[in-house]
Amino acid sequence: MRTLHLPIPPAPSRLKTRLRLARRLVSFAVVFAGLPSLTHAEDGERLAGQLCAACHGVHGHSESPIFPRLSAQTPEYLTAQLKGFRDHARGETDARSYMWAIASQLDDATIASLADYYAHQEPVHGTPGDAALLAKGQDLFEHGAPDRGTPACASCHGEQGQGNGTFPRLAGQHHEYLQRQIEVFSNGTRANAPVMTAIAHSLDADEAKAVAAWLESR
Ligand code: HEC
Ligand code: HEC
C-alpha cells in the first residue's frame, strides 16, 4: 500500500491568518463582482465602505497586518499611491496581486474623494511593547544613523511619524507591514521611490524591526 504524504499543516496562528484572509477575499470577490464598472466618479466614502473596507477595515482601521491602515494618512500620499498602482509604477508582489486591478477602475476624481475620506478618519494608536526595542527604534527615527549617512526618519515623516504631504504617515501602522515595505524598498521590488530605496538599504534587520515596532506604538 502506498503511503500518503500529506503536506505539513501550517502552524495554528498562520492558519488563522489564512482563514481570515480567505474569508476577506471571498467577501471582496462578492463585493467586487457586484460593482458596476466604475466609469464615472464615485463618492469616496461610499466606495470605501462597499469595497476598500473588506480589506483595509472600517474607516481604514485594518486589523490584519497584510492590509495597511489608511486612516489619517496624508491625502497627497494616498493619491500618489493609488495613481502609482493604477500606472503600475508601484509593483511589489502584494501591490500587483491586490491593488492593480482595483486601482485600474478608479478615475482621478474618485481617487481624490477616497484620499479625502481616509485623510479625515481618526488615526489608530498602537500598543506599547518591549521597552528596549522601542527605545532603539525611537533613537533611529529621531536621529538616523549618522555614521552611515542614514538621515533621521523624522526629518521627512514628521516628529511623531504623522506624515507630511507626500511623506506618508507611519505612526500606528502595523509593524509587519512597515517592515515588509522596508524590505521591498531595499530589494528593489518597490522601485519608484529612490530616496526610500537608499535609506532602506542602509538599515539592518534589527533596526528595521525596532523602528517598525516604535512606529506602530505611536
Ligand atoms: C482585496 C484586498 C484589498 C482591497 C479590496 C483594497 N486593498 Fe488597498 N491594499 C491591499 C494590500 C494587500 C495592500 C498592500 C500592498 C503591499 O503590501 O504592497 C494595499 C495597499 C493600499 C494602499 C497603500 C497604502 C500605503 O500605506 O502605502 C492604498 C492607498 C490602498 N491600498 C487603498 C485602497 C483603496 C482606496 C481601496 C478601495 C477602492 C482598496 N485599497 C481596496 C489590499 C486591498
Ligand atoms: C528624505 C525623506 C525621507 C526620509 C529621511 C525617510 N523617508 Fe521613508 N519615505 C519617504 C517617501 C517620499 C516615502 C513615500 C515613497 C512613495 O511614494 O512610494 C516614504 C515611505 C516610507 C515607508 C512606506 C510607508 C507605506 O505606508 O507604505 C516606510 C515604511 C518608510 N518610508 C520608513 C522610513 C524609515 C524607517 C526612515 C528612517 C530610517 C525613513 N522612512 C526616512 C521619504 C523619506
Side-chain angles (χ1 to χ4, degrees):
M1 209 174 132
R2 282 176 52 201
T3 329
L4 263 181
H5 289 289
L6 293 172
I8 300 162
S13 65
R14 288 207 65 168
L15 182 63
K16 247 165 75 191
T17 311
R18 279 189 202 170
L19 285 174
R20 236 184 289 140
L21 175 62
R23 267 203 303 274
R24 281 214 173 86
L25 285 178
V26 169
S27 61
F28 161 63
V30 169
V31 172
F32 205 47
L35 273 183
S37 181
L38 303 173
T39 46
H40 55 88
E42 283 280 324
D43 175 62
E45 180 167 6
R46 201 163 65 86
L47 188 58
Q50 283 181 343
L51 175 58
C52 322
C55 293
H56 292 285
V58 178
H59 304 301
H61 297 169
S62 118
E63 288 164 31
S64 160
I66 297 167
F67 307 118
R69 292 179 170 141
L70 303 179
S71 51
Q73 186 52 275
T74 71
E76 294 87 350
Y77 176 75
L78 288 165
T79 301
Q81 297 315 299
L82 288 169
K83 290 184 177 171
F85 295 132
R86 191 179 63 185
D87 303 341
H88 298 182
R90 179 170 166 183
E92 75 275 12
T93 319
D94 284 356
R96 279 173 201 243
S97 323
Y98 291 93
M99 287 306 300
W100 278 17
I102 293 167
S104 72
Q105 301 290 305
L106 306 175
D107 63 18
D108 286 357
T110 306
I111 287 179
S113 181
L114 282 163
D116 181 64
Y117 168 73
Y118 281 117
H120 287 95
Q121 303 309 299
E122 288 295 313
V124 173
H125 296 290
T127 42
D130 173 15
L133 186 69
L134 298 184
K136 180 181 158 110
Q138 179 170 10
D139 184 54
L140 182 70
F141 189 83
E142 291 176 353
H143 308 293
D147 52 323
R148 267 173 285 147
T150 307
C153 320
S155 64
C156 291
H157 291 282
E159 293 280 295
Q160 298 295 321
Q162 76 276 18
N164 177 25
T166 53
F167 304 122
R169 173 188 185 85
L170 304 175
Q173 186 59 273
H174 298 290
H175 69 271
E176 297 93 330
Y177 172 78
L178 294 171
Q179 262 181 268
R180 209 164 62 239
Q181 297 314 302
I182 291 172
E183 199 180 305
V184 294
F185 282 129
S186 178
N187 70 23
T189 47
R190 181 171 169 182
N192 60 326
V195 178
M196 274 313 301
T197 300
I199 292 171
H201 210 70
S202 77
L203 303 179
D204 67 29
D206 288 345
E207 288 171 328
K209 187 178 169 194
V211 77
W214 183 73
L215 283 164
E216 184 174 18
S217 77
R218 296 288 77 206

